[in-house]
Amino acid sequence: MPARIRTALLAYVYGVLGAFLLAAPWSPLWDYATLSVAQYALGPWVRSGWVRGAVSGLGALDLWVALQEAGILWQSLRGGGLPPSGPEG
């Protein structure tokens, strides 16, 4: 797979995943998805603000990685080329 396509794909996947993880814990989707574990010991823990914040933090980290990948792609499109990756160089 060409390096530019791989970089664009990584930026897209990390961006979508990051946006989902950033927003999902604070939406009704989270409450609905955790309804099945609410009756067990993990229920209150999964629904706590701390866990929701940790998941949102992972989403923010994914968005940061997506922006880094997009920056690399932008530089390569402007003529800078992509840095070598992988064991071949």
Side-chain angles (χ1 to χ4, degrees):
M1 177 180 318
R4 286 184 182 167
I5 293 174
R6 185 188 66 81
T7 304
L9 185 61
L10 281 175
Y12 175 75
V13 169
Y14 280 121
V16 169
L17 183 63
F20 177 76
L21 289 176
L22 193 65
W26 308 106
S27 71
L29 173 68
W30 186 268
D31 292 328
Y32 181 73
T34 59
L35 196 59
S36 63
V37 296
Q39 60 192 357
Y40 302 110
L42 285 178
W45 183 76
V46 170
R47 290 182 159 204
S48 73
W50 188 89
V51 172
R52 290 177 185 217
V55 172
S56 289
L58 286 174
L61 183 63
D62 279 347
L63 285 175
W64 182 74
V65 171
L67 287 173
Q68 295 295 317
E69 291 291 330
I72 291 169
L73 181 63
W74 180 256
Q75 288 297 323
S76 74
L77 293 174
R78 292 183 66 205
L82 284 174
S85 63
E88 66 276 353

